[in-house]
Amino acid sequence: MTVALGRTWAVTLQGVGGQLVEVEADVGRGLPGISIVGLADKAVLQARDRMRAAVANSGLTWPPGKVVLSLSPAGIPKRGSGFDLPLAVGVLTASGELPASAFEGTLLLGELALDGRIRPVRGVLPSVLAARDAGLDRVIVPEANLAEARLVAGIASAGAESLAMLAVWARGSGDLIAEARESHRPHTRDDTDLSEIVGQEDGRRCIEVAAAGGHAVLLQGPPGTGKTMLARRLPGLLPDLAEQAALEATAIHSIMGRLSPRDPLLRRPPFVAPHSGASEVALIGGGTSTPRPGAVSLAHQGVLFLDECAEFSTKVLDSLRTPMEEGEVRIARSEGIVAFPARFQLVMAANDCPCGSARPDTCTCTPDARRRYGRALTGPLRDRIDIAGRTLPVGSGLLSVGEVEDSSVVRERVTTARSTAAGRWAACEDANGAVSNADVPGRVLRSVKALDRRALRPLDRALAHGVLSPRGVDRCLRLAWTVADLEGRSCRPSRTLPRRWC
């Protein structure tokens, strides 16, 4: 029996990116068997049985000799069932069952069922991006993942329902699926409109300013006063995601398998609200062998809402400090460091005490219990929160109030303010590509766009007396720019701040 070689391409995911993997198949003399080398995990090794059954049940012939499959680069771990299809096609091209020329420069993704069907897999979007960046010409994915693959421009994509369909196409007797099925998602009414909140003018103002500037918010007050309602209506005030931001957010949700197969692109900012019992791994991300993104990464380009934040452990809340500052999470494991993007807008809500009494005279908590209740919110975390608002009980007269502004009206003001801020910071080379006031580095606020010295005197006194930290001064300046943008005021650069602030 002559030795034959076959080559196909696959992708292994690393964080939210992909690494191109060359699959080599050797069919030669020896006792029948399948050997897979190249740091393959259990899911990849179990492809041996799935491949043989899928090939036989698709009317194709599995080679009778020894089959060796090599995954290169050999030093990178290979994970996931998406290797089934490239492994099987590599064997079929090596044995001459399928022409190798049909798969040149083609990325293959898909899990094989025993009857030959090609099942959808996770992480198609980052995989196709990796193939395009590596210079491949085409990608063949499961039909259910075709809409996701078509989000990437610059590379041809096609879908296949089964291994038999793929074989017919390779032999020139049929076609693959060129267009994804249209989405028929029913129109749903938006039940989170800002007009449903009455009597909380201060809370509405906090949410509007936060949306306009991308600021972190802490809402405190008795239960039932609208803290959660306000937080859940914040995403409705934000504009649609830009193309690059939408792809970044979609890639993370693709890895977790949370995308709609017919309409995968996330056009709206995501809203993630983990339970107060969430662990640090669930919030930040991690895992024993394969690091996975946590809630902060799923909220990338969107809103992370921590309801009853005082019930979270101090360690879990303090783990938010680094991603809030740097916009990413770095998870270190023995195999290396994986980075996940985590540029989110934080909103937290908490009661005043553990019993949650609406009136101070009916509170049953001891003074020590009240002190312990807020201890989870440490000083360094509070110092990263831009807006602290309170919600108060609403009287019965306010519940019957007439018309109030809905989300669409407020969204127009927020969109205009964000456009003003984006244009202002785009003209500043030191702004590091900031598109909202909350992302502007402090050195830019204190130098390039400094305010009038008379307006800075209260901040100067607060800094001198220890009421504000230098980070707190930057927060005040960011908020000042946001309020000015919302009100349409033109602020002119003036002299720089005192030397000790720089």
Side-chain angles (χ1 to χ4, degrees), residues 75 149 169 179 189 196 251 328 385 397 418 494:
W169 167 82
E179 296 293 337
R189 185 174 61 89
E196 298 179 356
E328 71 173 6
I385 298 173
R418 279 183 165 259
S494 183

Side-chain angles (χ1 to χ4, degrees), residues 47-77:
R48 292 176 293 195
D49 297 325
R50 292 193 295 268
M51 284 190 301
R52 294 195 64 167
V55 168
N57 293 326
S58 299
L60 303 172
T61 302
W62 186 266
K66 175 70 173 178
V67 175
V68 178
L69 293 161
S70 176
L71 306 178
S72 178
I76 299 176

Side-chain angles (χ1 to χ4, degrees), residues 34 36 91 105 206 217 337 339 387 427 433 487:
I34 305 173
I36 302 177
V91 174
C206 286
V217 185
I337 299 176
I387 304 174
E487 297 182 358

Side-chain angles (χ1 to χ4, degrees), residues 281 285-292 330-338:
V281 173
T288 54
S289 59
T290 306
R292 305 292 292 275
R330 293 182 295 275
I331 301 173
R333 292 293 182 267
S334 59
E335 297 177 352
I337 299 176
V338 177

